[in-house]
Amino acid sequence: MNRAIIVSSSADTAAFIGELLEAEGYGMIAVASSGSEARRLVVSDTEPELVVINTPLPDEFGQELAVMIAENTSAGILLICRNDIADDIGDKVSDNGVCVIPEPLNRQLLSRSVKLVTATRSRMMGLKKENADLLTKIDEMRLINRAKCTLMQYLKFTEPQAHKYIEKQAMNTRQTRREVAMRILATYER
């Protein structure tokens, strides 16, 4: 279920945003009325998919909060501010991936922005998963290469022989190459 946090000192604006987010499929929506309350929500709860900040907040403007959330989570962030300062604020927070929407709010612009931020976050999460998968494969390759080097050092195998040995052991024992490499390293590297 999609989680969102609305940060707004105005209860009416928070209710308007909340209705729109429910229509967009966000089921768990938390509301904070200040930056410090929002910080506690972001840190204590499971990570939200979307954070909407309606500036200014009673204890801060909201720009610092948006940057902090961007640096510490993978949530999509919408920052709503006055039309006359929207461009300046957008320039300051755009490098952090924060989307700035000028006031006055209208339903269509907010809906499009929520869809855009959600789609961008979804793509980012896919890339993050792909990156984690690649790092896992790299670690596995390093481990297997260490095992090959160990076989070459202790059993005087050539690199192709060590490779073939690991492959054959993996097939014969119905283990992964990683497990075979770990077993080899455990045997020879004491």
Side-chain angles (χ1 to χ4, degrees):
M1 180 165 285
N2 290 341
R3 298 180 42 80
I5 297 176
I6 301 169
V7 188
S8 177
S9 59
S10 164
D12 292 338
T13 304
F16 169 73
I17 296 169
E19 288 174 14
L20 186 127
L21 292 181
E22 284 177 3
E24 293 294 331
Y26 286 87
M28 298 177 68
I29 301 171
V31 178
S33 58
S34 67
S36 57
E37 187 180 348
R39 279 182 169 78
R40 281 191 298 274
L41 279 173
V42 167
V43 171
S44 66
D45 284 347
T46 57
E47 189 172 295
E49 280 83 21
L50 179 68
V51 178
V52 181
I53 304 170
N54 181 33
T55 63
L57 302 172
D59 54 349
E60 64 181 282
F61 181 73
Q63 170 186 338
E64 304 85 9
L65 174 64
V67 170
M68 185 278 299
I69 293 170
E71 289 174 347
N72 295 304
T73 71
S74 59
I77 305 165
L78 287 173
L79 186 68
I80 303 167
C81 60
R82 290 191 338 251
N83 191 27
D84 60 328
I85 60 171
D87 288 337
D88 291 336
I89 299 297
D91 290 341
K92 293 177 183 175
V93 297
S94 65
D95 287 344
N96 296 96
V98 177
C99 180
V100 177
I101 304 174
E103 286 182 324
L105 277 181
N106 71 51
R107 189 170 198 83
Q108 186 178 20
L109 176 63
L110 185 58
S111 176
R112 283 184 187 162
S113 298
V114 166
K115 287 177 183 172
L116 176 67
V117 167
T118 302
T120 303
R121 181 185 181 278
S122 177
R123 182 175 170 116
M124 181 184 69
M125 295 308 290
L127 292 173
K128 210 173 187 181
K129 183 186 178 320
E130 185 180 329
N131 189 32
D133 292 346
L134 289 172
L135 289 174
T136 302
K137 285 183 181 179
I138 289 171
D139 285 343
E140 182 178 316
M141 289 172 61
R142 283 184 181 144
L143 186 69
I144 292 168
N145 284 335
R146 264 187 47 218
K148 285 180 191 178
C149 289
T150 301
L151 290 173
M152 291 164 59
Q153 178 183 357
Y154 289 99
L155 300 180
K156 306 299 182 215
F157 283 3
T158 64
E159 196 277 334
Q161 288 173 327
H163 178 79
K164 188 173 182 176
Y165 178 82
I166 291 172
E167 292 283 327
K168 189 153 180 69
Q169 286 296 310
M171 284 191 313
N172 291 345
T173 61
R174 292 193 171 125
Q175 292 181 318
T176 64
R177 294 183 312 153
R178 179 183 188 84
E179 292 168 329
V180 171
M182 288 171 57
R183 197 176 71 231
I184 291 168
L185 292 172
T187 301
Y188 291 102
E189 289 184 355
R190 291 182 190 185

